[in-house]
Amino acid sequence: MKYLSSIGLSVKDENVLKSLIDLLGARMSEEWHYRDDVPADALLLDVDNPDAIATWKMRPETARRNTIAYSNSEPGFALTRRLAKPLRAAELIAVLKDIEQANDELAVPVVGSEATEVTTLADCVDRQGNGVMRLACGDREVVIDRSRQQFCSSESGESLAALLTLPLPEYQISTGADVRLPSEASVRWQDQKAVLWLVGQCGSHGKLLDGVDRNGLFRLNRWPGFGPVRPSHTVLSLCSLLTRKSAMGIADMRETTGLPEFDIIAFINAAFLTGILDIQSGDVARPETGAAKPEVSTERKGLLAKIRSRLANPRT
């Protein structure tokens, strides 16, 4: 099912558009419906209406995708899809089919790739890419707009963290055009990194994200912003450890910190989702910790070096 919306049409043109959508039926490969809110799969914009253009420019990018210019003449700005006034069924069908085809091409899977089953919230959010996603459980919800890099939620602080801890089957999940965005006046949009960090920390359930090499070496490229929840001692310990110069593997982290792998994986996923994790291939040669350093004659060292050498070897 796909949705078509409009901005700035006259009452007559809007009624004609709704009637044409109702009559498309078998002439389209997808079932199209008209809706008067956004986001939608296609948007008809009356570019002869200055107020409509101003409204359109204020909408987020996700609400302006697949915009169709509707005009008496050549529009004053670039839009690849156009319809001339008045509306005609054949031309409308042609442009909607073009949008269907473009979406199908984007959805073609890569040859030879094997998609693994999504079992955790962290993987589900990671695979969403740049779209809009709504996670709901009863009257509690989170809306993440990856294109705008923002999120809003009915919850905050520890309550938000608790919501993101639920098993994946307990959420009602909607994406793309099926998401009804709350009105701008009713919510406060925040930086998405805060919720992505919590998704990794709370929604990983011991499973690494598919895009993360389990045998890799990990390092933070900067200290994270934790958002609405105060970081635990475990998180702070791993932050301190992975901001050092040398990257570390999961086994090294377990040995150094004594932390369970469950917590380490949650931390790695959170850092990956927020874009602060550097990953080196597990094939990278690790330094040999047991190799003895070559002796350097103390006669060629300064006074302080001689003192350090004597302190390190008190019997000499």
Side-chain angles (χ1 to χ4, degrees), residues 18 114 130 149 157 169 175 217 219 228 240 261 288 293 300:
K18 291 178 180 179
E114 296 182 1
N130 291 324
Q149 300 184 357
T175 59
L217 302 178
R219 184 178 179 276
S240 177
E261 186 172 299
E288 296 183 7
K293 295 182 179 180
R300 296 168 58 186

Side-chain angles (χ1 to χ4, degrees), residues 104-135:
D104 289 343
E105 290 173 352
L106 289 175
V108 172
V110 177
V111 176
S113 66
E114 296 182 1
T116 57
E117 182 183 1
V118 177
T119 58
T120 67
L121 177 63
D123 252 332
C124 183
V125 171
D126 183 42
R127 294 192 188 190
Q128 176 60 21
N130 291 324
V132 183
M133 170 181 282
R134 177 179 180 268
L135 307 166

Side-chain angles (χ1 to χ4, degrees), residues 19-172:
S19 298
L20 290 176
I21 290 295
D22 289 340
L23 294 172
L24 291 180
R27 302 181 67 179
M28 304 294 295
S29 58
E30 296 272 2
E31 182 182 353
W32 283 85
H33 293 273
Y34 183 85
R35 60 187 288 177
D36 56 6
D37 58 336
V38 292
D41 297 281
L43 175 66
L44 189 63
L45 172 66
D46 189 335
V47 295
D48 297 330
N49 182 342
D51 293 335
I53 295 175
T55 300
W56 177 80
K57 288 182 177 179
M58 293 295 292
R59 296 284 174 84
E61 184 178 350
T62 50
R64 291 186 284 155
R65 59 179 179 173
N66 294 331
T67 298
I68 307 163
Y70 182 52
S71 176
N72 276 322
S73 57
E74 192 78 8
F77 52 94
L79 286 173
T80 57
R81 296 184 176 95
R82 302 173 186 175
L83 285 177
K85 295 181 179 179
L87 279 170
R88 297 176 179 84
E91 295 175 0
L92 178 61
I93 289 171
V95 75
L96 293 181
K97 282 187 174 181
D98 179 62
I99 290 172
E100 288 180 355
Q101 182 179 359
N103 290 341
D104 289 343
E105 290 173 352
L106 289 175
V108 172
V110 177
V111 176
S113 66
E114 296 182 1
T116 57
E117 182 183 1
V118 177
T119 58
T120 67
L121 177 63
D123 252 332
C124 183
V125 171
D126 183 42
R127 294 192 188 190
Q128 176 60 21
N130 291 324
V132 183
M133 170 181 282
R134 177 179 180 268
L135 307 166
C137 182
D139 59 352
R140 306 160 69 195
E141 70 169 13
V142 180
V143 177
I144 307 174
D145 189 338
R146 302 294 295 274
S147 298
R148 297 171 63 191
Q149 300 184 357
Q150 294 181 332
F151 86 99
C152 64
S153 177
S154 62
E155 311 301 303
S156 60
E158 297 293 343
S159 177
L160 174 58
L163 174 60
L164 298 174
T165 306
L166 299 175
L168 188 61
E170 295 192 22
Y171 297 101
Q172 293 84 50

